[in-house]
Amino acid sequence: MQQDILGDSLVKALPTNVHIGLQMPVQSVTVTGDYAYFHYGCDGLDDRGWGCGYRTVQTMASWLWYNCALTKGRHVSAPSLPGMQRALVSTGDKPGHFCGSRDWIGTFEASVVLDHFYDVPCKIVHVRGGGADTEHAVAQLREHFSRHGGPVMMGGGTDNASKGVLGLSTGQHGTSLLIADPHYHGPERDRAELQRRDWVRWTDVSSLDNSSFYNICMPQTNGLLRTLTHTARE
């Protein structure tokens, strides 16, 4: 089991709360509590080109570990990539040859992994692209950050690059998402440098691919949140 789980020391060595320091629009809601920023290669495994979904799941998992009174997975700071693959096989979601592959995972697989390791269910919101469907997703995201507080995962069809969503802003200038991009590869950098290089950024919804559908995976933490007296650790 241990090889399915990353060590606490590795998780704690990663940059935390990487949105702190960004300018926050007036009408915004963001993640509450602590989380670690996972990205390509952060545990020594070179997963460039296929691991972005796994890394976003790890960011979500770290938030659950830091902030929730879990009934299961209290000692799982974050599952490893091989551990997630084995979980998907053991639950019957994937065939045996999925283990050791470079196959991507999306929001549905993310929900299976988080339920497997933490017994935390997820809500998946489907966005066909543009118009009223996008506005419905915006309302769902606002409710999520206000009620549950954790990072969510966003992935799509044509636009199949995983995105960690840390917040939402709405106002007269349109709607923006606060993105933690898992595609960074390289030495660990502080949050100011990650923000300067746009690995953590506000992204206008209008810049998303209107020809692509999107799915959003939202962990449901009813009754699990510890009392959070801070927005995030400075």
Side-chain angles (χ1 to χ4, degrees), residues 180-223:
D181 190 337
H183 296 85
Y184 168 70
H185 184 268
E188 299 305 338
R189 300 183 183 277
D190 62 28
R191 59 176 68 114
E193 183 68 5
L194 290 167
Q195 293 168 15
R196 189 181 72 80
R197 293 171 176 254
D198 282 341
W199 294 110
V200 184
R201 62 188 182 275
W202 285 102
T203 297
D204 197 291
V205 169
S206 64
S207 68
L208 298 177
D209 187 345
N210 284 331
S211 68
S212 177
F213 72 82
Y214 289 94
N215 289 321
I216 306 171
C217 177
M218 306 176 180
Q220 305 295 287
T221 56
N222 296 329

Side-chain angles (χ1 to χ4, degrees), residues 1 4-8 11 38 54 56-80 83-84 87 91 109-122 219-222 224 226:
M1 180 64 174
D4 290 348
I5 301 168
L6 295 179
D8 293 0
V11 176
F38 283 82
Y54 298 87
T56 299
V57 173
Q58 288 176 324
T59 294
M60 297 162 75
S62 72
W63 183 88
L64 292 172
W65 181 62
Y66 273 124
N67 300 288
C68 292
L70 298 166
T71 57
K72 179 183 178 183
R74 290 185 297 273
H75 305 297
V76 183
S77 53
S80 66
M84 284 186 260
T91 57
E109 289 87 354
S111 70
V112 174
V113 167
L114 294 177
D115 191 37
H116 175 82
F117 281 100
Y118 300 98
D119 200 23
V120 172
C122 295
Q220 305 295 287
T221 56
N222 296 329
L224 293 177
R226 301 191 186 107

Side-chain angles (χ1 to χ4, degrees), residues 4-234:
D4 290 348
I5 301 168
L6 295 179
D8 293 0
S9 58
L10 186 152
V11 176
K12 291 178 179 178
L14 295 174
T16 57
N17 311 325
V18 291
H19 68 292
I20 292 178
L22 278 176
Q23 183 175 358
M24 295 294 161
V26 175
Q27 294 180 306
S28 61
V29 288
T30 63
V31 61
T32 303
D34 297 330
Y35 63 91
Y37 168 63
F38 283 82
H39 55 83
Y40 280 162
C42 62
D43 55 2
L45 174 63
D46 188 350
D47 55 317
R48 283 176 287 183
W50 60 275
C52 57
Y54 298 87
R55 299 305 183 183
T56 299
V57 173
Q58 288 176 324
T59 294
M60 297 162 75
S62 72
W63 183 88
L64 292 172
W65 181 62
Y66 273 124
N67 300 288
C68 292
L70 298 166
T71 57
K72 179 183 178 183
R74 290 185 297 273
H75 305 297
V76 183
S77 53
S80 66
L81 272 65
M84 284 186 260
Q85 290 185 335
R86 281 188 282 271
L88 289 166
V89 171
S90 70
T91 57
D93 181 70
K94 299 293 182 188
H97 61 75
F98 182 72
C99 288
S101 72
R102 295 190 172 190
D103 291 349
W104 302 355
I105 63 170
T107 51
F108 178 76
E109 289 87 354
S111 70
V112 174
V113 167
L114 294 177
D115 191 37
H116 175 82
F117 281 100
Y118 300 98
D119 200 23
V120 172
C122 295
K123 177 179 182 179
I124 296 180
V125 175
H126 179 67
V127 184
R128 289 171 293 180
D133 219 32
T134 300
E135 291 306 312
H136 170 69
V138 167
Q140 294 282 320
L141 280 166
R142 182 170 290 279
E143 179 184 7
H144 170 83
F145 286 115
S146 299
R147 183 176 180 182
H148 299 285
V152 306
M153 176 176 172
M154 184 174 182
T158 306
D159 178 6
N160 53 26
S162 174
K163 302 168 181 62
V165 182
L166 305 176
L168 171 76
S169 169
T170 55
Q172 61 180 353
H173 299 297
T175 300
S176 296
L177 301 177
L178 180 54
I179 300 295
D181 190 337
H183 296 85
Y184 168 70
H185 184 268
E188 299 305 338
R189 300 183 183 277
D190 62 28
R191 59 176 68 114
E193 183 68 5
L194 290 167
Q195 293 168 15
R196 189 181 72 80
R197 293 171 176 254
D198 282 341
W199 294 110
V200 184
R201 62 188 182 275
W202 285 102
T203 297
D204 197 291
V205 169
S206 64
S207 68
L208 298 177
D209 187 345
N210 284 331
S211 68
S212 177
F213 72 82
Y214 289 94
N215 289 321
I216 306 171
C217 177
M218 306 176 180
Q220 305 295 287
T221 56
N222 296 329
L224 293 177
L225 279 178
R226 301 191 186 107
T227 301
L228 301 177
T229 58
H230 60 295
T231 299
R233 182 174 54 200
E234 296 290 344

